Amino acid sequence: MKLVRFGPAGSEKPGIVDGDGTIRDLSSIVDDLTGDALSPAGLERLRGVDPASLPAAPSGARLGPCVPMPYNFLAIGLNYADHAAETGSPIPAEPILFNKAPTSISGPNDDIVLLKDSVKTDWEVELAFVIGTECFNVPADKALDHVAGYCLCNDVSERFWQTESTGQWVKGKSAPTYGPVGPWLVTADEIADPQNLAMHLDVNGKRMQTGSTTTMIFGVIELIAYASRFMKLLPGDIVTTGTPPGVGLGMKPPVFLKAGDVVELSMEGLGEQRQKVVAP
C-alpha cells in the first residue's frame, strides 16, 4: 500500500493511493497514520478496505508528511563510504546516530525555508523507514518485523551550524522544513529489498546525486538492531539512513542552496519530491 496524508499543514487527513493513482480519504477508517494504524494488525485492516468505497481527496490537495510529527526523528551520518570520502571523513566503524528535531518534518513539496543567517544549507537524498511497533533491544533477525514502511527523505542540512559552530549536528539539521518526508509511506511488503533502491537528486535541473542503497555501509537491519540498544523507538518514529555522494559540501568549490533554487529528488518505488527554496 501507498499511504499518504493530505490537506493543509496541521490539518492533514490520512489517505491511500488506489490503483489509478487517486488519493482516497481514509479518515472514516483511521484518525491518522500513527500508533495502532501502523502496527501489523492496523496495516492488515487497511489492506482489507476497498479504496473505491472511499471518497477521493480534493484535486490538487497538498501532500503533507506521510506520517505525523514523530516522537523521534533519528538520522544516520556518513553511511555511504563515498559520501564520507567527499566530506573528508573516515568511514565510521559503527553507525553515527544524531537527531533531527521532530518539528523539522514537512511535506514532500513544501518550500524549504532557509534559516535566518543561513550560509551553507545543503541537500541529502535519503531512504527513511518508519517504525510500526515498539522497538527496544531488537535482535537483527527480528529487526524488519518492526518496520511499517519506507519513504523518501531530504535531510536538509545547514553545514556551518552542523560542523563549524561547535560541531553539534542537531543544530544544523533541525530547522522547520528541513525534514521533507513522503510523498508516500510505502508499506514494507511492497519493498522487496530496501538495500537495492536507486535514488537521485537535482538542483535547478542539474543532477547532483546519483546513488543506490546497495552502497550503504550499515543497512536497515543493522541500524534497527544498533539504535534500539540505546533508545526505544515508537510507532511512527522516522529513521533516515544517510546519503550517497554529491552533496553541496563535497563540491569543489562547495555549492549551497539559495532562495529561488528548486530541489527535486526521487527514489525507486518511493516517489518524488520537489521543493522551492525561499528566504526566511
Side-chain angles (χ1 to χ4, degrees), residues 100-262:
K100 292 175 73 73
T103 50
S104 69
I105 193 172
S106 58
N109 304 314
D110 290 346
D111 291 343
I112 295 171
V113 182
L114 293 172
L115 285 161
K116 183 181 179 182
D117 302 322
S118 169
V119 290
K120 295 184 178 180
T121 295
D122 206 347
W123 56 84
E124 294 188 5
V125 57
E126 302 195 2
L127 168 70
F129 59 87
V130 174
I131 298 297
T133 57
E134 188 174 291
C135 186
F136 184 58
N137 281 326
V138 173
D141 63 346
K142 301 293 185 183
L144 294 183
D145 295 345
H146 294 268
V147 176
Y150 300 91
C151 61
L152 178 61
C153 177
N154 187 359
D155 178 17
V156 184
S157 308
E158 214 309 323
R159 302 298 189 187
F160 178 77
W161 290 0
Q162 177 189 352
T163 61
E164 299 176 48
S165 177
T166 69
Q168 297 178 25
W169 286 23
V170 66
K171 294 192 304 185
K173 300 279 190 169
S174 292
T177 74
Y178 275 37
V181 290
W184 315 310
L185 174 63
V186 181
T187 52
D189 59 299
E190 293 203 4
I191 302 298
D193 183 2
Q195 303 308 147
N196 188 25
L197 301 175
M199 67 186 88
H200 67 261
L201 181 145
D202 299 345
V203 178
N204 299 328
K206 180 180 179 181
R207 183 61 43 89
M208 297 297 191
Q209 289 185 275
T210 301
S212 170
T213 58
T214 58
T215 62
M216 286 169 60
I217 299 169
F218 305 105
V220 172
I221 289 173
E222 294 170 284
L223 294 176
I224 294 171
Y226 183 82
S228 71
R229 291 172 54 196
F230 310 108
M231 66 191 75
K232 182 185 291 185
L233 298 173
L234 299 175
D237 283 354
I238 302 169
V239 181
T240 190
T241 63
T243 198
V247 299
L249 179 65
M251 304 289 177
K252 299 186 185 303
V255 176
F256 298 110
L257 294 171
K258 61 186 184 302
D261 287 344
V262 174

Side-chain angles (χ1 to χ4, degrees), residues 27 76 96 143 178 208 212 236 277 279:
S27 59
I76 312 300
I96 296 172
Y178 275 37
M208 297 297 191
S212 170
V277 181

